[in-house]
Amino acid sequence: MDPKLKKTKDSSSNSANSPDSTHSSFPFPDEVLERVLSLLHSHKDRSSVSLVCKDWYNAERWTRTKLFIGNCYSVSPEIVARRFPRIKSVTLKGKPRFSDFNLVPQYWGADVHSWLVMFAKVYPFLEELRLKRMTLSDESLKFLATSFPGFKALSLLSCDGFSTDGLKAIATHCKNLTELDIQENGIDDFGGGWLSSFSENCSSLEVLNFASLSSDVSFDALEKLVRRCKSLRILKVNKSISLDQLQQLLVHAPQLIELGTGSFQQELTPWQYEDLETAFSNCKNLQALSGLWEATSLHLPVLYAACASLTFLNLSYAALQSGELAKLVAHSPNLRRLWVLDTVGDKGLEAVGSSCPLLEELRVFPADPYELDLHHGVTEAGFLAVSHGCRKLHYVLYFCRQMTNAAVATIVLNCPDFTHFRLCIMNPGEPDYLTNEPMDEAFGAVVKTCTNLRRLAVSGLLTDLTFKYIGKYAKNLETLSVAFAGSSDRGMQCVLQGCPKLRKLEIRDSPFGNAALLSGVEKYETMRSLWMSACNVTMSACRLLAKDMPRLNVEVMRDEGSDDRQADKVYVYRSVAGPRRDAPPFVLSL
């Protein structure tokens, strides 16, 4: 047993964040408690354990090495440092999710630097940092690279503010790096020279993902790096890598379990084609495949030998047609996850329903969200076909231009185990195209049938009846996303009063106003956040909410030239740190 566990039981007894009781009713020996805690890997479970009593609180704080913070403003770096002395891995999320749709103004905040400065003081042994929707500069990346000698893993998802110069600092100074995962970031790409900055002795990489970068990289440097890293499991390259170069990389790394290819836009000689096909067939452990830029039916057959073991196929960058998808999935009987563009059409999804009985997750993205031609894309027919053949489906994100109540009701009857149901009818306010009725009964069927539903995104012509259904039946719902929906404040009130596990509520361009906002006064303290933009909320209601609930941070973002009385964008979240100190002028902290 770590002596510090015993030493700190009394010294931490006055902590503001610790439970009131000193001892549990049934105390465990320290060795048993430490063993039990070592078996808990979920941050939610560990947080629950820490509330049992002060003994468990202290034991948990000293044994926790991984930290998840879902909102970087819900707590301060100082509070985290005081509570957890031994953190080696941090996951930190910043901006609201609607920033993905450019609804959060630039320079809003979520800068990681103050966190890094504190980590350097108290966690010099930090090994992993995973950031999502955070802002970080090249200076921050250089500070990170030089402040933690044993640093191993960096993951940046939907972050901004940095450039490839920052990646160069990571490659240069992090000698023990096992993971560099760069996904969908707003990065200034100054060229691929950063990849040449890895030491000639670097052989520790297990994950390397630079698929979202645009510039050419030194293939010679990449090939040498891949050849040295015998434990490389995940490799995702960008479009600059040709098929011929991809074949050479696969020869050096047949052990890959995830591969993101480069561009398929290359004419191959017969012997090059054969070599590439052989390289794929030698990847016996390949489970996930992505990339496939400009893939055509001409080159897709080289993948067939590797498809049998695939559980995840990400075709969200490959504008395949129905026949091309049909041939791929016919060779992929073990698929659990599939992402496609709507260019595959309903016929392509029919092939999925016929060939992928084990499918659990489907995401269909629009190739062109502004194209109004109904002769392209997918409809309810494709969704129905998948639901008939893929009865294990429990996660869906489906962009389409038309849908019916009856189709959705049939889909959830076929697949009642949905935990995530995100239906996005791209034309706002679109009714059931056959009956011209609102889509209320569709989402009513979803929440009545799918009792384990945790995440729901609604769309189409919706009245308050939809939200009445949600409040009455969606008892396990944690996240709800609403756009262009509802008819009065009553709709939002039903959700806030009826969904006991609701943690995130995201609303845009809907008629909900002050009464709706204030109906959740007590609910918001149990939620992570509320976002409302382009709704009917006023500044006076926001001030009243802030006054009544001082432990909530109520932030208002004003659009240029808007009415001074209106609250254009409202972000409400719980925080133990109080109002944030880095709010820009356009963010009013009430």
Side-chain angles (χ1 to χ4, degrees):
M1 175 69 181
D2 193 319
K4 290 186 177 179
L5 294 184
K6 294 182 178 180
K7 177 182 177 182
T8 58
K9 286 179 184 177
D10 295 328
S11 63
S12 298
S13 62
N14 294 323
S15 171
N17 295 320
S18 61
D20 293 333
S21 60
T22 303
H23 300 287
S24 63
S25 300
F26 303 98
F28 288 94
D30 291 336
E31 293 77 9
V32 174
L33 182 54
E34 183 178 20
R35 175 59 179 162
V36 169
L37 291 175
S38 71
L39 300 175
L40 295 181
H41 303 294
S42 164
H43 65 271
K44 292 182 180 179
D45 290 342
R46 292 193 67 103
S47 295
S48 297
V49 160
S50 71
L51 298 176
V52 172
C53 64
K54 285 183 178 175
D55 286 351
W56 286 40
Y57 173 88
N58 288 319
E60 197 281 324
R61 71 183 287 264
W62 278 100
T63 57
R64 184 184 291 224
T65 59
K66 295 185 177 181
L67 186 65
F68 172 87
I69 301 173
N71 177 355
C72 66
Y73 290 119
S74 65
V75 66
S76 68
E78 293 79 10
I79 293 174
V80 169
R82 283 198 301 270
R83 176 164 178 181
F84 301 110
R86 293 182 170 177
I87 297 299
K88 293 184 178 181
S89 173
V90 175
T91 298
L92 187 61
K93 295 185 177 182
K95 300 171 187 173
R97 191 185 70 89
F98 273 6
S99 65
D100 294 347
F101 304 98
N102 297 318
L103 294 180
V104 177
Q106 192 176 14
Y107 309 119
W108 176 83
D111 193 302
V112 77
H113 196 77
S114 62
W115 289 91
L116 294 180
V117 171
M118 180 57 68
F119 292 163
K121 292 179 181 178
V122 296
Y123 308 138
F125 38 78
L126 187 73
E127 295 179 354
E128 299 181 1
L129 183 63
R130 305 182 188 281
L131 305 179
K132 186 173 183 179
R133 300 190 189 98
M134 295 290 292
T135 294
L136 67 162
S137 64
D138 288 339
E139 289 68 27
S140 294
L141 285 173
K142 292 172 185 175
F143 181 83
L144 171 66
T146 55
S147 299
F148 305 96
F151 192 75
K152 295 180 180 180
L154 177 64
S155 174
L156 304 177
L157 174 60
S158 300
C159 296
D160 60 28
F162 66 104
S163 77
T164 45
D165 289 345
L167 299 184
K168 181 178 180 180
I170 297 294
T172 300
H173 297 288
C174 298
K175 304 299 184 183
N176 302 309
L177 202 65
T178 60
E179 178 178 346
L180 182 58
D181 190 1
I182 312 299
Q183 300 183 57
E184 308 298 338
N185 296 281
I187 181 173
D188 292 325
D189 194 341
F190 296 143
W194 64 273
L195 196 60
S196 303
S197 299
F198 283 100
S199 165
E200 289 292 334
N201 297 321
C202 177
S203 60
S204 56
L205 275 179
E206 299 175 12
V207 178
L208 177 61
N209 177 7
F210 60 96
S212 59
L213 301 187
S214 57
S215 61
D216 292 352
V217 298
S218 166
F219 179 73
D220 182 59
L222 176 60
E223 184 180 24
K224 289 179 180 178
L225 182 62
V226 171
R227 184 190 297 136
R228 291 195 305 268
C229 297
K230 302 300 183 183
S231 298
L232 192 66
R233 299 176 293 107
I234 299 174
L235 176 63
K236 298 181 181 180
V237 300
N238 68 357
K239 293 174 66 173
S240 73
I241 302 301
S242 67
L243 286 174
D244 189 35
Q245 292 171 331
L246 180 66
Q247 181 269 331
Q248 296 176 59
L249 295 176
L250 292 180
V251 168
H252 298 307
Q255 75 280 1
L256 290 176
I257 62 172
E258 291 190 28
L259 172 66
T261 76
S263 172
F264 269 53
Q265 196 174 37
Q266 178 188 351
E267 291 187 11
L268 298 176
T269 64
W271 64 266
Q272 285 177 318
Y273 190 97
E274 183 178 345
D275 285 348
L276 182 59
E277 192 172 32
T278 300
F280 270 107
S281 65
N282 288 335
C283 294
K284 306 296 185 182
N285 302 315
L286 199 62
Q287 298 174 14
L289 184 63
S290 60
L292 304 159
W293 282 282
E294 290 101 19
T296 66
S297 57
L298 182 64
H299 294 138
L300 287 180
V302 301
L303 304 173
Y304 293 164
C307 285
S309 60
L310 291 181
T311 59
F312 180 26
L313 184 56
N314 180 353
L315 301 171
S316 59
Y317 293 104
L320 300 186
Q321 301 300 307
S322 59
E324 295 165 337
L325 177 65
K327 292 177 181 177
L328 264 184
V329 297
H331 289 84
S332 310
N334 292 306
L335 277 186
R336 266 70 169 181
R337 302 173 65 202
L338 176 64
W339 296 9
V340 295
L341 293 176
D342 62 3
T343 55
V344 301
D346 290 333
K347 290 293 184 182
L349 294 181
E350 289 174 11
V352 173
S354 300
S355 302
C356 305
L358 302 179
L359 195 69
E360 298 174 358
E361 175 184 327
L362 173 68
R363 303 193 191 197
V364 181
F365 301 96
D368 185 354
Y370 303 106
E371 174 60 55
L372 299 179
D373 187 354
L374 287 178
H375 297 292
H376 295 86
V378 295
T379 71
E380 77 283 0
F383 203 169
L384 281 166
V386 172
S387 74
H388 281 297
C390 309
R391 298 302 178 102
K392 296 185 177 183
L393 198 67
H394 62 76
Y395 188 121
V396 70
L397 170 61
Y398 198 83
F399 282 87
C400 61
R401 289 181 174 80
Q402 64 181 47
M403 187 56 62
T404 70
N405 287 296
V408 174
T410 301
I411 288 164
V412 295
L413 281 176
N414 292 335
C415 305
D417 296 326
F418 276 114
T419 59
H420 295 68
F421 193 94
R422 302 162 66 190
L423 176 60
C424 302
I425 305 172
M426 286 184 283
N427 298 327
E430 189 76 13
D432 179 319
Y433 79 98
L434 292 181
T435 67
N436 211 38
E437 293 292 322
M439 293 294 295
D440 297 325
E441 297 304 323
F443 292 101
V446 172
V447 295
K448 291 176 186 178
T449 308
C450 306
T451 56
N452 292 318
L453 192 70
R454 299 200 308 271
R455 183 172 183 179
L456 176 65
V458 298
S459 58
L461 178 61
L462 301 176
T463 71
D464 287 342
L465 182 58
T466 289
F467 302 100
K468 182 178 179 180
Y469 285 142
I470 292 172
K472 185 175 181 179
Y473 296 104
K475 298 306 179 183
N476 289 306
L477 190 66
E478 297 177 0
T479 300
L480 175 62
S481 301
V482 180
F484 304 95
S487 46
S488 75
D489 288 339
R490 182 59 186 156
M492 183 171 166
Q493 290 169 342
C494 289
V495 171
L496 290 169
Q497 294 167 4
C499 299
K501 296 184 179 180
L502 190 66
R503 298 175 67 243
K504 293 176 68 177
L505 179 56
E506 309 166 331
I507 305 172
R508 60 168 297 189
D509 296 277
S510 296
F512 307 130
N514 294 341
L517 173 69
L518 296 176
S519 68
V521 166
E522 296 181 357
K523 180 71 174 177
Y524 299 141
E525 284 200 339
T526 67
M527 293 170 53
R528 182 187 296 176
S529 64
L530 165 72
W531 171 276
M532 297 180 73
S533 59
C535 296
N536 297 328
V537 177
T538 66
M539 290 296 298
S540 60
C542 293
R543 291 191 177 96
L544 183 58
L545 175 62
K547 179 182 178 182
D548 289 346
M549 305 300 291
R551 287 180 292 185
L552 293 178
N553 282 2
V554 181
E555 298 182 358
V556 177
M557 287 151 269
R558 304 288 299 280
D559 293 336
E560 187 175 352
S562 64
D563 188 332
D564 290 343
R565 296 168 295 179
Q566 288 297 116
D568 302 308
K569 298 181 177 73
V570 181
Y571 185 41
V572 180
Y573 57 93
R574 62 186 183 187
S575 177
V576 296
R580 61 184 176 116
R581 293 166 288 184
D582 64 347
F586 58 80
V587 174
L588 304 178
S589 295
L590 304 180

